[in-house]
Amino acid sequence: MWALRAAPARLRARPGPSGRRAASSSSRPAAAARALVYAQHGEPLKVVELKNLELKPLGRSDIRLKILAAPVNPADINMIQGTYAILPKLPAVGGNEGVGQVLEVGSAVTTVKPGDWVIPADAGLGTWQTEAVISEEVLVGVPSDIPLLCAATLGVNPCTAYRMLLDFEKLQPGDSIIQNAANSGVGQAVIQIAAALGLRTINVVRDRPDLQKLVDRLKGLGAEHVFTEEEMRKPEMKDFFKNFPRPRLALNCVGGKSSTELIRHLGHSGTMVTYGGMAKQPVTASVSSFIFKDIKLRGFWMSQWKKDRSPVQFKEMILSLCDFIRQGQLTAPVCSEVPLQDYQVALEASMKPFVSSKQILIM
Ligand SMILES: NC(=O)c1ccc[n+]([C@@H]2O[C@H](COP(=O)([O-])OP(=O)(O)OC[C@H]3O[C@@H](n4cnc5c(N)ncnc54)[C@H](OP(=O)(O)O)[C@@H]3O)[C@@H](O)[C@H]2O)c1
């Protein structure tokens, strides 16, 4: 997978993990790009640099694309830090998600044409660059009638939200779900997709000075209830659940005490799906929640889902999500658009607490 990423110029002669080499000669001068590259793992602000990149020549099955916009996600940061489950060969271009416009296609490419929009089919393409030459098989076409920021943030977070809502419990309209970090990109997608499916949501966020503003914003997306982590621990929650159905599904991307609270409020035989660990603390469940509530603890990783399914199934999901977008039921998360050259601002903001805005690099 990593060999398919356009490599920094000085690496072009080195074979990638699949043993492929970038073609060594071309009749045309090689196309150039600007890219955010890291040569070693470490603190993103220290190891990421904006560099010139020579693109490999267009092969028969390749697509040359102009990357339009690419978000900074927690997984991108963890990859740079060297703590993510999959790590690229170094040096690597950062970024796993984004949307590009096709500029040119190789003679064997059948699925897209110049002008079309594409997104990565999986992690690891290195999207933080102005242009790239990438194999057709690792890109998926997306309709270009959806907003740019929706397309740039479509392939990971809304997909994760959609799968977790559909694949773990058979939920019916009127059923409830509970989630922490409800203001995250995934959380905002969960709120909107759940509302579109008629599900009732309990959304947990961390307390902050401008809490009411955040609560109003999440309610504007369709959140039924928003509580702080502290409120979730109060005895008054017992009264709340006298008039509200206990959740059948809990979605956890925090861990630690926050996930213990989700489990405590989960209904009998409900499922908690862990998909992230922002607090870097283990998930702890009480013995009684297993014995008396028979809860189920599961995990989800979008990359694994994609590996286990066909590209056709991924494309079907993308088209279903585009339908939500067109119907006004799914919007992009709150975003800050940052020009590529100001990448340090975006990296810094993406690692700060309480920012509540997805940093999007605009190429
Ligand atoms: N398993 C998968 O396939 C998959 C797919 C997508 C995302 N994820 C994971 O899902 C999580 C959210 O991703 P995203 O792109 O939606 O994130 P995001 O938009 O960047 O938002 C980050 C969220 O994490 C919260 N947070 C940060 N540090 C925290 C801490 N120490 N304790 C509690 N909350 C904390 C933030 O809350 P504040 O506003 O309070 O700072 C914010 O709600 C990440 O862990 C990511 O790796 C997993």
Side-chain angles (χ1 to χ4, degrees), residues 73-74 156-157 160 181 183-186 206 208 253-254 275-279 300-302 353-354 356 358:
N73 286 324
V156 180
N157 287 347
T160 301
N183 60 326
S184 65
V186 177
R206 295 198 285 184
R208 65 200 67 219
C253 76
V254 176
Y275 67 99
M278 295 306 295
F300 179 78
W301 190 27
M302 195 66 227
F354 312 132
S356 292
K358 180 66 74 189

Side-chain angles (χ1 to χ4, degrees), residues 72-76 78 84 97 156-157 160-161 164 180-188 204-208 214 229 252-255 258 274-280 299-304 333 350-359:
V72 179
N73 286 324
D76 305 328
N78 295 153
Y84 199 64
E97 204 188 2
V156 180
N157 287 347
T160 301
M164 293 193 299
N180 54 21
N183 60 326
S184 65
V186 177
Q188 293 174 62
V204 186
V205 294
R206 295 198 285 184
D207 199 3
R208 65 200 67 219
L214 178 63
E229 297 278 359
N252 164 45
C253 76
V254 176
S258 175
T274 292
Y275 67 99
M278 295 306 295
K280 298 186 167 58
F300 179 78
W301 190 27
M302 195 66 227
S303 295
Q304 191 64 46
S350 73
M351 292 184 285
K352 268 195 191 150
F354 312 132
V355 172
S356 292
S357 184
K358 180 66 74 189
Q359 305 299 304

Side-chain angles (χ1 to χ4, degrees), residues 262-299:
L262 295 192
I263 293 169
R264 202 161 68 81
H265 296 300
L266 202 55
H268 191 275
S269 71
T271 300
M272 183 172 83
V273 182
T274 292
Y275 67 99
M278 295 306 295
K280 298 186 167 58
Q281 297 289 324
V283 170
T284 309
S286 68
V287 166
S288 63
S289 61
F290 287 104
I291 300 173
F292 303 119
K293 286 212 307 195
D294 192 18
I295 58 146
K296 301 182 279 292
L297 299 185
R298 303 281 308 275

Side-chain angles (χ1 to χ4, degrees), residues 177 179 182 191 200-204 215 218-219 222-227 237 240 243-244:
I177 66 136
Q179 64 163 341
I191 289 170
R200 309 182 69 180
T201 57
I202 303 170
N203 300 280
V204 186
V215 171
L218 297 183
K219 287 196 170 173
E224 190 168 346
H225 293 283
V226 182
F227 295 115
M237 286 308 293
F240 170 80
N243 301 308
F244 196 86

